Amino acid sequence: MSEHLWAEAEPGMRLLLGNPAGEMSLPETRPNDILLVSGGSGITPMLSIASTLAAEDHCAAGDPGTMGPNLETATGRGGRISWIHYTRRVGDVPFRDRLRELSSPGSTCR
């Protein structure tokens, strides 16, 4: 799904989202660009995925604003992670400290 959205999605496109179903796991061969979409308690598996990718130095350490154009890392990996999470209020976002840690200066992910 993520690969399809990166290739096909355009601004203004409407998406129909359903209830979670099936397995949640990263493929052994990681795609460079990854889109995570979650809402409510769906943040939990996405946080696990984002934490795994950060531990693997998946993201580029180049340009901290846009993560481009330099997508090379010391380990030879380069990639982008975009994460869209929905809650009704900012105060409803769980794991805020961990999210700040993952996106803080010095982290390999934004």
Side-chain angles (χ1 to χ4, degrees):
M1 179 65 173
S2 183
E3 190 171 314
H4 172 76
L5 287 176
W6 275 109
E8 304 295 327
E10 297 178 4
M13 178 183 265
R14 290 179 180 236
L15 302 172
L16 178 62
L17 303 176
N19 292 327
E23 288 187 24
M24 276 264 195
S25 62
L26 283 166
E28 279 189 44
T29 303
R30 312 290 196 235
N32 282 339
D33 298 327
I34 297 173
L35 173 63
L36 304 174
V37 180
S38 59
S41 63
I43 194 171
T44 306
M46 298 303 170
L47 182 59
S48 176
I49 289 171
S51 295
T52 296
L53 293 167
E56 294 175 351
D57 290 331
H58 180 81
C59 298
D63 179 349
T66 62
M67 297 313 298
N70 178 13
L71 294 179
E72 285 301 315
T73 65
T75 61
R77 290 184 158 212
R80 296 177 297 174
I81 299 172
S82 293
W83 185 355
I84 301 167
H85 180 74
Y86 175 80
T87 61
R88 292 180 190 215
R89 294 175 296 277
V90 172
D92 293 340
V93 177
F95 309 112
R96 280 186 278 173
D97 290 341
R98 179 64 179 140
L99 294 172
R100 282 188 194 102
E101 181 183 324
L102 284 170
S103 62
S104 67
S107 171
T108 60
C109 291
R110 298 281 181 265

